[in-house]
Amino acid sequence: VTTEFFVSQKKEEYNRFNHPTEGNIEYFFDSIDEPKIANVFGVESYLLDTFESGLGIFDIKHSQTHLIQELLKTSSMVEGKKLYINLQRNHVDSIGVYRYKLLIANSYSYDTPEHLLYQTLNVAKQIGFDFESDTCVLIGDISRDDKTYQLYSKYICLLYTSPSPRDLSTSRMPSSA
């Protein structure tokens, strides 16, 4: 949510818009200075209790906040738009950037490589991704032999892989899987 329109009392409403949840959840947000956005997220209360009993007082941030900050730093290395797909088991972060500007950031669950591809193609459409000239980077434990990579390679010409977001901060683009 852009900080211009963000109201902290509505963080539960913002989170539930994209992520219907059940259970006892507490809602938080953390800020990204550039672009000026608030990243809203929920944490189940039993996890917070566990953290508090082991750590005492602590600050909590969403992993996507760190990911967005890291990707924005590297966003000028290649011409055109970049779509980063941060793969985790049954969960993905999709982040689109263009010349230090955040175009989209969302996270969602997926069941199959086909479902993941469908979601990614939808995100690509929303940001005006050019499948011939823009770049897509699959982040995580993935190789050319993976079904996910095979599916993506049918639609995206400039497809790369990276084992970690940290590997993107080098002066060159990651290698083609």
Side-chain angles (χ1 to χ4, degrees):
V1 179
T2 62
T3 54
E4 180 181 0
F5 300 108
F6 178 71
V7 177
S8 64
Q9 292 81 4
K10 292 186 173 188
K11 51 188 185 263
E12 180 177 351
E13 184 180 331
Y14 297 135
N15 191 76
R16 287 182 187 263
F17 180 77
N18 281 330
H19 303 282
T21 55
E22 295 178 12
N24 193 7
I25 296 176
E26 293 187 44
Y27 296 92
F28 299 89
F29 71 93
D30 47 29
S31 299
I32 300 174
D33 293 332
E34 200 51 50
K36 296 179 183 332
I37 61 172
N39 191 14
V40 180
F41 59 98
V43 179
E44 293 189 43
S45 295
Y46 80 90
L47 288 174
L48 288 174
D49 293 342
T50 302
F51 294 153
E52 288 171 357
S53 67
L55 300 173
I57 297 173
F58 64 94
D59 288 328
I60 189 166
K61 281 192 164 226
H62 194 281
S63 63
Q64 194 180 63
T65 300
H66 295 291
L67 182 62
I68 290 169
Q69 290 170 325
E70 191 66 31
L71 296 178
L72 285 172
K73 287 179 197 173
T74 65
S75 67
S76 69
M77 292 190 308
V78 174
E79 289 297 314
K81 295 174 183 160
K82 286 183 268 185
L83 183 56
Y84 295 98
I85 308 300
N86 186 40
L87 299 165
Q88 300 158 48
R89 194 179 84 167
N90 298 327
H91 182 83
V92 66
D93 296 305
S94 296
I95 299 172
V97 297
Y98 179 65
R99 296 188 180 168
Y100 298 112
K101 293 185 179 166
L102 181 66
L103 301 175
I104 195 168
N106 206 348
S107 59
Y108 46 87
S109 299
Y110 69 95
D111 300 320
T112 65
E114 293 82 5
H115 181 217
L116 177 61
L117 177 64
Y118 171 80
Q119 295 287 0
T120 300
L121 294 176
N122 186 38
V123 168
K125 180 180 177 183
Q126 291 178 44
I127 66 170
F129 187 86
D130 183 324
F131 293 94
E132 298 290 322
S133 62
D134 290 336
T135 304
C136 180
V137 181
L138 302 175
I139 302 171
D141 185 18
I142 189 164
S143 72
R144 279 188 193 177
D145 298 327
D146 287 304
K147 184 176 182 181
T148 299
Y149 183 90
Q150 295 298 317
L151 283 169
Y152 274 68
S153 68
K154 292 177 183 178
Y155 296 90
I156 301 171
C157 293
L158 298 175
L159 181 63
Y160 299 91
T161 63
S162 178
S164 156
R166 275 184 242 110
D167 297 328
L168 295 169
S169 59
T170 61
S171 60
R172 61 182 176 73
M173 201 58 201
S175 62
S176 266

